[in-house]
Amino acid sequence: MKPNIIFYFSDQQRFDTLTPDLMPNLWALAEEGTRYTNSYTCQPVCGPARACLQTGKYATQCECFKNGIALPETEKTLADYFNENGYDTAYIGKWHLASGKGKHYEKTAVPKELQGGYKYWRASDVLEFTSHGYDGYVFDENGNKIDFIGYRADAINDFAIEYINNRSEENEKPFFMFVSQLEPHHQNDHKAFEGFKETVDNYKDYPLPEDLTFLKGDYKKAYPDYLSAINRIDYNLGKLIEKLKEKGLYDNTVIIYTSDHGCHFKTRNIEYKRSCHESSIHTPLVIGGGAFKRGTVDDRLVSLIDLPPTLLDFADIYIPSFFSGISILEQEKNGTERENVFIQISESQVGRAIRTKKYKYSVRAFGNGFAKKDSKVYFEDYLYDLENDPYEKMNLANDKNFKEIRKNLAKQLSDEMEKAWELKPKIKPALIKRKK
């Protein structure tokens, strides 16, 4: 019997927020499954990261290299693969792949042909535009508006529970459900993070991560709400797990939990992400559930681009050769591991980076990169020795002692760019001396 699969997705969640006190339900899931300590996004911004997940391709390969580009209707999505292989499919929450040039669905229903093939739909294209921390609306698969009252993360999770409740006992099909929460993402129009009001005060004295203590940012004001929102997501994940157990579905269900990117609280640039730094790219990743019992911690390098083939692998669905990632299950079976994780950065810059176990190496094109897909020429921007400098305080991009290391990393980066169908880049020495 093929397993049910739930992909539970948060937005803008840092890796170091996966702790037993902040996320007890996810931690419990990790203790019976697997917690991956070196999980990284391949695109630290909302729309492109989601495009990578849905297509199995890097953002430049599927053309969604920045926000505001609709996923081409010719792209085959996760839902298409699962539909073709006998699964019911459901999408709930934030989509962010319908609006683009000449297409504006930020506050209106996403047309059925742009819903990625999902059969059950309770979503908005840009959920932060149709809701706030409390109250808002989404749409169903037929374009009907569905209002909700109360905390947003609760409402999104309730739609997932509704889907489980509405499955008839006669339905023997397995299901693939994608739950895309907006929390703990900041609320754009309020310019603030919006936690669950009843618990925000619990985190006023919570210790700040080390990387947020030596640079200017808005973390002192924002962190309590940020953590409260994450804790509430965990509460809701726990509710969903209890519903699966109540319905007798848990023992045949795999749950994958991760986030699209992290959050640096305006320490590395003028907003919260879109950089190569650990705070921006390092994400939580847990695979668990009754159908996946391991009780292990895995420190292999994992990319977000590895998750689409992993999802298909769990369902015993053929993985297309053009998928850019490698299934985690296949890596485990073959005893292989990534040499690095490749990251494409857009909007704040046209940037590229790799993260190895020891180093972070990043390059950027010259000039404003918001509208550009790629570049022929890049300049070295950052080099961090992560073993000796885990909080990225000392940039070694201009250090002569690391010239050969940069040369080797530039070769690795160039190889990854070519694998992602990019032109072989010309990488030049740093133009600007950046200390941090």
Side-chain angles (χ1 to χ4, degrees):
M1 182 185 298
K2 289 191 174 184
N4 306 307
I5 300 173
I6 296 175
F7 194 90
Y8 211 98
F9 203 41
S10 63
D11 193 321
Q12 205 166 300
Q13 184 179 352
R14 293 169 58 99
F15 163 80
D16 51 19
T17 57
L18 175 47
T19 62
D21 61 325
L22 190 60
M23 302 196 77
N25 292 304
L26 183 57
W27 193 266
L29 189 72
E31 290 200 315
E32 72 172 34
T34 301
R35 175 167 56 92
Y36 295 87
T37 62
N38 282 307
S39 167
Y40 296 88
T41 189
C42 55
Q43 235 291 359
V45 68
C46 301
R50 283 161 175 75
C52 295
L53 280 174
Q54 291 302 323
T55 66
K57 300 177 181 179
Y58 284 112
T60 53
Q61 291 175 310
C62 63
E63 298 299 326
C64 296
F65 61 92
K66 66 182 182 69
N67 283 336
I69 299 178
L71 187 67
E73 293 182 52
T74 53
E75 289 290 345
K76 196 168 182 177
T77 68
L78 288 175
D80 292 326
Y81 292 104
F82 280 98
N83 287 332
E84 291 171 358
N85 285 273
Y87 272 75
D88 283 335
T89 54
Y91 196 94
I92 298 154
K94 175 179 176 176
W95 179 237
H96 216 158
L97 292 173
S99 300
K101 188 175 182 181
K103 301 176 180 180
H104 299 287
Y105 308 110
E106 293 89 350
K107 295 184 178 181
T108 59
V110 174
K112 190 176 287 289
E113 64 270 18
L114 299 180
Q115 293 174 10
Y118 289 89
K119 303 304 182 183
Y120 175 94
W121 181 268
R122 297 290 184 274
S124 292
D125 191 37
V126 189
L127 187 57
E128 56 267 48
F129 286 9
T130 67
S131 63
H132 292 93
Y134 284 81
D135 308 337
Y137 59 91
V138 295
F139 300 91
D140 70 12
E141 58 273 7
N142 297 313
N144 298 309
K145 184 180 177 184
I146 303 174
D147 294 299
F148 64 80
I149 296 174
Y151 195 58
R152 177 170 46 206
D154 295 0
I156 297 304
N157 196 73
D158 284 347
F159 291 130
I161 290 175
E162 174 191 276
Y163 172 76
I164 298 298
N165 279 331
N166 288 345
R167 284 177 58 83
S168 66
E169 293 182 5
E170 294 77 25
N171 187 354
E172 297 181 354
K173 280 186 174 184
F175 64 84
F176 170 60
M177 179 167 61
F178 197 115
V179 183
S180 181
Q181 291 277 14
L182 182 62
E183 271 61 43
H185 189 288
H186 62 289
Q187 184 62 41
N188 302 56
D189 56 344
H190 289 176
K191 298 181 180 180
F193 292 85
E194 298 188 343
F196 185 62
K197 292 176 182 176
E198 294 180 23
T199 61
V200 171
D201 286 348
N202 296 347
Y203 302 102
K204 284 189 173 179
D205 298 317
Y206 204 88
L208 286 168
E210 180 66 26
D211 66 287
L212 298 183
T213 60
F214 63 93
L215 294 169
K216 292 181 179 180
D218 67 355
Y219 44 84
K220 289 183 180 180
K221 177 183 177 182
Y223 208 52
D225 276 272
Y226 182 79
L227 296 181
S228 171
I230 291 169
N231 176 254
R232 194 63 180 180
I233 287 180
D234 184 78
Y235 165 81
N236 279 289
L237 176 65
K239 281 183 63 178
L240 182 57
I241 290 172
E242 286 305 310
K243 177 57 66 174
L244 293 170
K245 292 178 178 178
E246 176 192 317
K247 293 289 186 179
L249 297 169
Y250 182 74
D251 289 341
N252 191 42
T253 299
V254 174
I255 301 171
I256 299 176
Y257 183 103
T258 192
S259 191
D260 54 351
H261 51 75
C263 185
H264 59 65
F265 294 95
K266 299 185 178 182
T267 55
R268 300 294 184 170
N269 57 36
I270 62 172
E271 39 85 72
Y272 297 102
K273 50 219 173 194
R274 299 178 177 93
S275 83
C276 71
H277 299 89
E278 293 291 281
S279 50
S280 187
I281 65 171
H282 198 179
T283 56
L285 174 61
V286 169
I287 303 179
F292 189 79
K293 291 186 177 180
R294 294 285 186 85
T296 58
V297 176
D298 194 320
D299 67 353
R300 76 182 62 238
L301 289 170
V302 177
S303 170
L304 187 78
I305 205 70
D306 294 330
L307 299 185
T310 303
L311 288 165
L312 297 190
D313 210 353
F314 269 119
D316 197 24
I317 297 172
Y318 174 76
I319 300 168
S321 60
F322 60 79
F323 268 32
S324 293
I326 303 172
S327 166
I328 298 172
L329 301 181
E330 183 181 334
Q331 292 180 49
E332 292 177 351
K333 180 181 178 180
N334 297 334
T336 57
E337 183 176 348
R338 282 181 164 275
E339 184 178 18
N340 59 62
V341 170
F342 172 54
I343 302 123
Q344 296 177 322
I345 306 165
S346 63
E347 300 191 8
S348 63
Q349 57 178 279
V350 176
R352 301 292 184 264
I354 54 169
R355 206 283 190 192
T356 71
K357 281 287 186 73
K358 181 172 173 58
Y359 292 108
K360 171 80 57 58
Y361 177 75
S362 182
V363 302
R364 72 162 68 194
F366 180 75
N368 183 355
F370 185 82
K372 291 176 63 178
K373 177 180 176 180
D374 54 19
S375 177
K376 294 180 180 178
V377 179
Y378 292 85
F379 295 88
E380 292 182 326
D381 201 23
Y382 294 106
L383 172 65
Y384 294 109
D385 179 348
L386 298 170
E387 286 184 358
N388 297 304
D389 180 24
Y391 304 117
E392 299 172 313
K393 295 182 178 182
M394 182 60 66
N395 184 11
L396 303 171
N398 295 287
D399 192 319
K400 295 180 180 178
N401 295 321
F402 287 82
K403 183 178 180 180
E404 286 303 312
I405 290 172
R406 289 199 302 273
K407 183 178 179 181
N408 174 268
L409 293 170
K411 174 64 167 59
Q412 287 190 47
L413 178 59
S414 178
D415 289 345
E416 293 301 320
M417 291 171 72
E418 289 188 81
K419 289 178 189 176
W421 309 349
E422 297 190 49
L423 295 174
K424 185 177 181 65
K426 187 172 185 179
I427 299 176
K428 296 185 175 183
L431 275 178
I432 303 172
K433 291 186 177 182
R434 302 181 190 274
K435 294 182 179 180
K436 300 172 183 175

